[in-house]
Amino acid sequence: MLFLALCIFIAAYFFGSISSAILICKLRGLPDPRTQGSKNPGATNVLRMSDKPTALAVLIFDVLKGAIPVYGAYKLGVEPIYLGFIAISACLGHMHPIFFNFKGGKAVATAFGALAPMSWWFALALIVTWVFVAKTTRYSSLAAIVTVSLAPLYTWILKPLYTNSVTMLSLLILFKHRSNIVRLIKGTEDKLSS
């Protein structure tokens, strides 16, 4: 089982390294999202650069990058603690993609994809939290920070077996958002458009 988990762990990193934002922008004739706006190759920055269908395509692919390896490993009987490391591996691929000079995004959508298969109620709780914070504050980063901070609590309530794995993933995402946290405190963080 450990060997299987290790193989999926490696595959998850390579799968996570496929940057949909960069590839889709290139196909659409748009600039590299790492050079525009927040310089983050993710759905929110692509939305700032282009339109909703393009951003939605990025979002869906990034969610699948987390969901496919973790759910696949779960169906193969991989233990919960290893599922957490597989989720982290997919997110690390998104954050530091081997195919794109290790310059990636924040992995919020990929983390959501990794966590969502846990249960529909859990996925709904994450979505409602993100939407509520984003709508009320207009900060995508703050919505992500609040959502991943609450994810371990939601897990403990709904699926306590996975609390440690989710906590590890949440800490990784929070660490990646440290510059956003500084900008939020200073009041210089970019808001979402209407």
Side-chain angles (χ1 to χ4, degrees):
M1 187 58 67
L2 179 58
F3 178 73
L4 174 63
L6 181 60
C7 289
I8 299 173
F9 177 87
I10 294 168
Y13 171 77
F14 282 100
F15 190 42
S17 289
I18 302 170
S19 178
S20 60
I22 297 170
L23 295 175
I24 289 171
C25 284
K26 191 168 186 176
L27 287 171
R28 293 288 314 276
L30 298 166
D32 187 326
R34 295 173 298 177
T35 65
Q36 306 291 313
S38 66
K39 297 181 171 52
N40 177 51
T44 302
N45 197 35
V46 171
L47 180 60
R48 291 188 185 107
M49 294 170 50
S50 58
D51 53 31
K52 288 180 182 178
T54 304
L56 181 61
V58 171
L59 178 66
I60 291 170
F61 189 84
D62 285 352
V63 168
L64 290 175
K65 289 197 302 187
I68 290 172
V70 173
Y71 187 67
Y74 167 77
K75 294 300 283 185
L76 290 170
V78 173
E79 294 176 28
I81 190 67
Y82 296 142
L83 294 178
F85 286 112
I86 290 166
I88 288 170
S89 182
C91 290
L92 285 173
H94 182 88
M95 293 173 177
H96 307 286
I98 193 170
F99 306 124
F100 297 96
N101 299 317
F102 301 100
K103 294 178 181 176
K106 301 285 173 64
V108 174
T110 303
F112 172 76
L115 297 175
M118 193 180 304
S119 90
W120 285 109
W121 285 110
F122 180 72
L124 182 62
L126 295 178
I127 292 168
V128 169
T129 302
W130 191 94
V131 170
F132 176 76
V133 177
K135 285 276 188 183
T136 54
T137 68
R138 309 305 305 170
Y139 288 114
S140 174
S141 58
L142 182 60
I145 290 164
V146 171
T147 302
V148 299
S149 296
L150 290 174
L153 175 62
Y154 295 157
T155 308
W156 180 74
I157 293 168
L158 296 167
K159 293 274 187 174
L161 180 64
Y162 297 98
T163 303
N164 289 338
S165 298
V166 172
T167 300
M168 288 189 300
L169 185 57
S170 293
L171 290 171
L172 174 66
I173 302 300
L174 287 171
F175 178 76
K176 190 66 175 178
H177 278 80
R178 62 196 184 280
S179 60
N180 299 90
I181 293 169
V182 171
R183 287 195 297 271
L184 284 164
I185 293 169
K186 290 181 177 179
T188 57
E189 181 76 333
D190 290 334
K191 286 193 172 186
L192 289 166
S193 64
S194 299

